[in-house]
């Protein structure tokens, strides 16, 4: 691995800044950690300068350092193109079944595959440890050349049957497999179907070029229907001619077209379905999937009559469709219909805190005090939960919240023993020096296969080290949800308290809301990165951060700055403050805007035909993700207040009284 001067300076800064209280429990250990990290940095410089004598000296001085294997890894991979097999073999033997050992194998296989060293490739490849598609393709090619050709072609077929373009490393094995007659018309049709389903028409056209004339014609028809599903309304075109001879292919075309047509016009798709249902023998699974798609599209097009018709006429029950109808009834404040649809949910769904609450609310609205005992019973059942609806139910009853806070039954001795495991030590040290990718890999290797007690202990270790997202991950993996210290850590407390005090001068922003948003956004992973490009603890887009920084007076130069907890929390909190100011200090509207954007929330408020109670408005937020987000943030705010020794209601009086 080569390191330029800028990278070395940055790493040295990371090393020195990480040597504080988190590095060790005593001053002596802290000094030792600082010295070791300085020597580690010197070793990386020696590797960069190819100073073998200095490197050997430093390795002797670091013989008890957890990251000694990484020094060897960096040294070997710097010269990997020359393939020093003896050094690699010794390294792999010494680091068998470790994160860095397996990563070395990945690096080696990439080099061997690229250089077409396929006999050596077979020696080093381990099927149970390699998931990367590119390396699996190299392996199939190596097997076809020097090993089991039948197994190689079975793997080639598996790699072929995907709806996206594969890595270029697959090209050679695909060509060899095809030349030997592996690609049948059935396999070509199946990949073409997968590609069309995935919207990858360029790949689909490529695959169609490998079909015979008849299948290529059918493939072209499928792509045409994908582009213009209204072609299905030319009914005779899809039930006459060679539709009988190629019934499976035509059935695929019709089903795909109906699903696409439903997105444009669910009512038209339903009519077309009835016509085709009498001409094709659809399986129960195909029928149920299509009806679910139709129900979903009816709901999205706000055609609740269509959803009701499907449920009634098709003898079809779908929990998601029923929930859509229940929410539509809520939006119309039609409490009789709310109760009607809740009663048609699966039994286990009816007894979730969400639908217990709404059943109780509907009974109250319909019968006033006439069935108060039934409503109270339902509220009490819901109020047992530590959740948004559990807290709502408790507020309705005027009783305390059920926090159910039970620390994991782990002893300090267990924590010390877990922390001392080599894999844990490597993970900790990698985290301390800023090697976050390798730190996560070490942690995942160390915790893989742990039992319930070990996972809880690992969670305690992560919490003690300030590695909060791993403490949360561990207790969730252990399915132990009642240790609130681990599930809801008071992470980066000094920064949160400082920022919230500053923000209070502008709006009613308390630290609990900051904690709640960060917990929901990233599980307190300071280097979290979303697919959309949001970064850091409070998941800010660089564009949002840049605009916010100018108004907040916070130093921000580049997206990398968002990985700093101090910068991220400052900018995220200021942005949250602007949303609170925009929405009259209403926290659930601000939370919705943080997730879905303020413009979208403003449009939802305008689209409401009648003023809705706050709980109805939240339950009928059009986006599932935003609905869940708002409910979680409100519940987490209460939990963080509890964790801080403060009693806080789910909603303030002005929020609860507001009609939206």
């Amino acid at each position: 691995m080569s390191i330029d001067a800028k990278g070395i300076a940055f790493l040295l800064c990371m090393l020195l800044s990480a040597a504080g209280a988190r590095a060790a429990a005593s001053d002596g250990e802290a000094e030792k950690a600082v010295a070791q990290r300085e020597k580690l940095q010197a070793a990386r410089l020696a590797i960069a300068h190819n100073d073998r004598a200095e490197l050997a000296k430093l390795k002797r001085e670091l013989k008890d350092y957890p990251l000694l294997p990484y020094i060897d890894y960096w040294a070997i991979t710097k010269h990997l193109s020359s393939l020093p097999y003896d050094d690699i073999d010794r390294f792999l033997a010494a680091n068998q079944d470790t994160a860095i050992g397996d990563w070395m194998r990945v690096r080696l296989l990439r080099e061997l595959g690229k250089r077409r060293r396929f006999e050596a490739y077979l020696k080093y490849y381990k099927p149970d440890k390699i998931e990367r598609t590119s390396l699996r393709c190299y392996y199939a090619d190596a097997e076809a050349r020097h090993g089991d050709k039948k197994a190689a072609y079975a793997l080639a077929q598996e790699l072929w049957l995907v709806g996206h373009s594969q890595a270029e490393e697959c090209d050679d094995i695909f060509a060899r497999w095809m030349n030997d007659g592996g690609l049948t018309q059935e396999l070509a049709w199946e990949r073409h179907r997968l590609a069309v389903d995935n919207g990858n028409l360029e790949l689909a056209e490529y695959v169609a070029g490998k079909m015979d004339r008849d299948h290529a014609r059918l493939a072209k028809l499928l792509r045409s229907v994908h582009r213009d599903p209204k072609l299905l309304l030319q009914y005779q075109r899809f039930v006459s001619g060679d539709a009988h001879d190629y019934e499976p292919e035509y059935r695929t075309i019709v089903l795909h077209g109906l699903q696409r047509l439903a997105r444009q016009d669910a009512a038209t798709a339903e009519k077309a379905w009835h016509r085709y249902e009498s001409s094709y023998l659809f399986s129960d699974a195909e029928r149920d999937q299509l009806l679910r798609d139709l129900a979903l599209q009816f709901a999205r097009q706000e055609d609740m009559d269509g959803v009701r018709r499907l449920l009634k006429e098709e003898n079809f029950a779908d929990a998601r469709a029923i929930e859509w109808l229940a929410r539509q009834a809520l939006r119309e404040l039609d409490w009789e219909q709310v109760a009607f649809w809740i009663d048609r949910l699966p039994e286990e769904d009816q007894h979730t805190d969400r639908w217990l609450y709404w059943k109780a609310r509907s009974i109250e609205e319909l019968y006033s005090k006439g069935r108060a005992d039934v409503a109270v019973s339902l509220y009490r059942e819901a109020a047992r939960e530590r959740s948004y609806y559990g807290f709502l139910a408790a507020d309705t009853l005027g009783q305390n919240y059920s926090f159910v806070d039970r620390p994991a039954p782990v002893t300090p001795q267990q924590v010390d023993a877990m922390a001392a495991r080599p894999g844990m030590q490597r993970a900790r040290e990698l985290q301390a020096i800023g090697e976050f990718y390798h730190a996560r890999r070490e942690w995942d290797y160390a915790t893989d296969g742990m039992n319930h007690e070990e996972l809880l202990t690992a969670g305690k270790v992560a919490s003690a080290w300030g590695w909060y997202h791993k403490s949360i991950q561990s207790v969730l993996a252990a399915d132990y949800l009642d240790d609130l210290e681990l599930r809801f850590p008071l992470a980066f407390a000094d920064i949160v308290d400082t920022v919230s005090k500053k923000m209070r001068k502008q709006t009613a922003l308390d630290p609990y809301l900051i904690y709640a948003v960060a917990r929901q956004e990233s599980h307190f992973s300071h280097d979290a990165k979303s697919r959309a490009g949001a970064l850091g603890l409070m998941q800010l887009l660089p564009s949002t951060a840049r605009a916010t920084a100018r108004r907040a007076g916070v130093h921000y130069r580049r997206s990398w700055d968002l990985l700093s907890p101090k910068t991220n929390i400052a900018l995220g909190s200021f942005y949250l403050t602007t949303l609170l100011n925009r929405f009259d200090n209403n926290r659930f509207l601000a939370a919705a805007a943080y997730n879905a954007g303020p413009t979208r929330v403003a449009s939802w408020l305008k689209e409401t035909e009648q003023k809705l109670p706050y709980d109805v408005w939240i339950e009928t937020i059009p986006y599932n993700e935003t609905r869940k987000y708002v409910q979680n943030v409100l519940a987490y705010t209460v939990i963080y207040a509890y964790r801080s020794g403060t009693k806080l209601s789910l909603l303030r009086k002005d929020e609860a009284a507001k009609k939206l």
Side-chain angles (χ1 to χ4, degrees):
M1 175 182 291
S2 61
I3 308 173
D4 59 22
K6 187 175 180 182
I8 291 169
F10 174 75
L11 182 58
L12 180 58
C13 179
M14 290 289 293
L15 295 173
L16 295 175
S17 66
R22 204 188 302 175
S26 68
D27 290 343
E29 290 174 337
E31 290 175 4
K32 179 181 178 182
V34 171
Q36 287 180 322
R37 292 168 190 170
E38 289 175 345
K39 289 179 180 178
L40 172 68
Q41 176 61 16
R44 298 189 77 165
L45 286 169
I47 293 169
H49 297 145
N50 204 27
D51 189 341
R52 297 185 179 184
E54 177 65 11
L55 179 61
K57 170 179 170 292
L58 289 165
K59 284 175 61 178
R60 288 193 298 271
E61 294 172 359
L62 290 169
K63 62 183 179 181
D64 63 341
Y65 184 50
L67 298 188
L68 185 59
Y70 281 79
I71 297 175
D72 290 332
Y73 165 79
W74 291 321
I76 293 173
T77 53
K78 185 175 186 296
H79 303 286
L80 196 58
S81 60
S82 61
L83 299 177
Y85 290 118
D86 291 343
D87 289 348
I88 291 171
D89 289 342
R90 281 192 293 271
F91 182 89
L92 293 175
N95 297 279
Q96 189 173 0
D97 296 326
T98 66
I100 193 60
D102 286 350
W103 187 244
M104 171 66 88
R105 192 179 302 277
V106 167
R107 291 289 303 273
L108 173 63
L109 290 171
R110 283 176 179 169
E111 186 69 23
L112 291 171
K114 186 169 61 176
R115 298 181 62 185
R116 300 296 191 267
R117 297 284 192 88
F118 287 120
E119 288 185 274
Y121 197 97
L122 290 176
K123 172 187 172 183
Y124 289 104
Y125 188 85
K126 302 291 183 186
D128 59 327
K129 294 184 179 298
I130 305 298
E131 297 180 354
R132 289 170 173 77
T133 297
S134 59
L135 299 185
R136 296 180 74 209
C137 286
Y138 277 145
Y139 172 62
D141 201 9
E143 281 281 28
R145 294 169 185 262
H146 303 292
D148 184 343
K149 184 176 286 190
K150 183 177 180 181
Y153 286 172
L155 178 55
Q157 179 175 317
E158 178 187 335
L159 292 163
W160 169 264
L161 287 174
V162 295
H164 56 267
S165 297
Q166 286 288 33
E168 63 180 14
E169 290 85 353
C170 299
D171 291 349
D172 286 354
I173 183 58
F174 284 163
R176 186 180 300 276
W177 171 64
M178 291 179 197
N179 286 338
D180 284 350
L183 181 60
T184 65
Q185 292 301 305
E186 290 75 19
L187 290 173
W189 173 262
E190 180 61 12
R191 191 177 190 196
H192 180 274
R193 181 192 67 79
L194 291 169
V196 173
D197 284 347
N198 214 31
N200 192 338
L201 298 189
E202 184 177 353
L203 172 62
E205 289 180 10
Y206 163 78
V207 174
K210 300 186 178 302
M211 295 178 177
D212 61 31
R213 186 175 62 181
D214 288 336
H215 281 92
R217 177 175 52 79
L218 293 171
K220 184 177 181 180
L221 181 58
L222 175 55
R223 297 195 303 278
S224 297
V225 168
H226 177 87
R227 293 187 180 98
D228 182 11
K230 288 184 179 179
L231 289 174
L232 283 186
L233 303 182
Q234 300 172 18
Y235 181 69
Q236 289 300 318
R237 183 177 181 181
F238 296 90
V239 297
S240 59
D242 59 3
H244 176 75
D245 295 333
Y246 292 96
E247 195 271 344
E249 289 82 2
Y250 270 92
R251 193 172 72 249
T252 295
I253 294 169
V254 168
L255 284 171
H256 182 80
L258 288 171
Q259 290 168 337
R260 296 281 292 176
L261 182 59
R263 297 180 189 181
Q264 297 178 4
D265 187 339
T268 299
E270 182 190 20
K271 292 176 183 176
W273 157 251
H274 287 312
R275 297 195 69 179
Y276 283 111
E277 189 180 21
S278 62
S279 299
Y280 287 96
L281 188 61
F282 295 106
S283 69
D284 289 345
E286 289 170 337
R287 176 183 181 276
D288 287 348
Q289 183 59 55
L290 182 65
L291 291 176
R292 276 193 292 270
D293 290 341
L294 274 172
L296 176 61
Q297 297 307 326
F298 270 126
R300 285 179 173 170
Q301 293 162 29
E302 298 186 356
D303 184 350
M304 293 304 151
D305 288 338
V307 182
R308 293 185 186 94
R309 189 167 58 248
L310 282 180
L311 294 173
K312 180 180 179 181
E313 296 178 2
E314 299 287 353
N315 191 26
F316 166 71
D318 179 68
R320 190 175 181 186
I322 293 171
E323 286 188 357
W324 273 97
L325 290 167
R327 288 195 176 96
Q328 180 63 23
L330 278 169
R331 197 166 185 81
E332 296 169 357
L333 298 180
D334 186 341
W335 296 103
E336 186 173 354
Q337 283 295 301
V338 171
F340 175 86
W341 290 116
I342 292 174
D343 286 342
R344 276 147 187 80
L345 284 168
E347 188 71 20
E348 61 179 343
D349 290 358
Q350 291 183 40
H351 287 277
T352 60
D353 54 349
R354 179 188 306 273
W355 298 114
L356 286 168
Y357 174 84
W358 285 117
K359 183 62 180 293
R361 278 276 275 127
S362 65
I363 289 172
E364 280 191 321
E365 294 289 342
L366 289 171
Y367 302 105
S368 187
K369 296 181 180 180
R371 296 179 62 187
D373 56 333
V374 177
V376 166
S377 177
L378 295 171
Y379 281 133
R380 282 178 179 162
E381 188 176 348
R384 295 175 189 151
E385 300 297 322
R386 180 185 54 242
S387 66
Y388 168 76
Y389 277 111
F391 296 158
L392 273 184
D395 282 342
T396 303
L397 296 172
Q399 68 183 43
N400 292 329
Y401 298 148
S402 175
F403 288 105
V404 195
D405 188 4
R406 290 192 289 260
V410 176
T411 67
Q413 292 76 17
Q414 288 175 302
V415 173
D416 290 343
M418 177 65 70
R421 292 186 181 186
M424 290 292 189
Q425 287 293 304
R426 289 193 294 270
R428 181 190 192 189
E429 195 62 18
L430 287 163
Q431 176 78 356
I433 68 170
E435 289 278 357
F436 303 127
Y437 174 77
H438 284 298
R440 284 192 293 271
R441 291 188 79 251
E442 285 285 358
W443 180 275
D444 292 342
Y445 267 66
T447 56
D448 184 42
M450 281 187 175
N451 61 33
H452 174 82
E453 185 178 75
E454 288 174 322
L455 285 169
L456 292 180
T457 307
K460 290 286 188 182
V461 170
S463 179
W465 288 349
W467 207 353
Y468 304 110
H469 67 287
K470 289 300 183 185
S471 72
I472 296 169
Q473 177 183 309
S474 296
V475 294
L476 293 178
D479 196 25
Y480 189 86
L481 307 183
D482 293 338
D483 189 324
L484 299 192
E485 181 181 356
L486 295 183
R487 280 194 67 201
F488 299 96
L490 296 168
F492 308 102
D494 292 344
I495 299 173
V496 171
D497 289 344
T498 299
V499 168
S500 67
K501 288 176 183 176
K502 182 179 180 181
M503 293 296 107
R504 275 183 210 165
K505 298 176 183 178
Q506 305 173 49
T507 192
L509 178 66
D510 58 46
Y512 320 123
L513 184 57
I514 298 174
Y515 281 127
V517 170
R519 171 63 170 76
Q520 174 66 22
E521 288 285 352
S522 70
H523 283 192
F524 296 111
S525 176
H526 76 277
D527 61 327
K529 301 176 184 178
S530 76
R531 292 182 179 179
L535 297 171
L537 291 166
M538 298 183 74
Q539 289 289 279
L540 289 168
L541 290 169
S543 57
T544 302
R546 195 174 299 111
T548 302
R550 287 194 294 268
R551 297 196 302 271
V554 174
H555 178 73
Y556 174 80
R557 292 180 57 192
R558 54 187 180 178
S559 59
W560 182 264
D561 293 337
L562 290 176
L563 303 186
S564 160
K566 184 176 180 180
T567 301
N568 195 283
I569 292 173
L571 291 174
S573 298
F574 189 90
Y575 179 58
L576 188 55
T577 295
T578 65
L579 296 176
L580 285 166
N581 288 335
R582 176 167 178 173
F583 293 104
D584 299 324
N585 276 331
N586 186 301
R587 292 171 304 150
F588 63 79
L589 291 178
Y594 199 99
N595 176 258
T599 302
R600 190 168 285 118
V601 172
S603 70
W604 291 340
L605 291 169
K606 290 179 181 178
E607 290 168 3
T608 305
E609 294 183 3
Q610 57 182 316
K611 293 297 183 180
L612 301 175
Y614 73 91
D615 56 350
V616 173
W617 192 89
I618 292 173
E619 184 60 43
T620 58
I621 288 174
Y623 291 178
N624 291 334
E625 178 189 325
T626 303
R627 184 188 317 124
K628 184 177 180 180
Y629 184 95
V630 170
Q631 293 169 354
N632 281 351
V633 166
L634 289 175
Y636 292 172
T637 301
V638 172
I639 294 170
Y640 272 107
Y642 163 81
R643 290 273 295 113
S644 304
T646 301
K647 186 175 182 179
L648 185 73
S649 295
L650 185 70
L651 290 163
R652 298 191 309 266
K653 289 183 178 179
D654 61 310
E655 292 171 327
K658 192 174 184 63
K659 297 277 188 175
L660 301 158

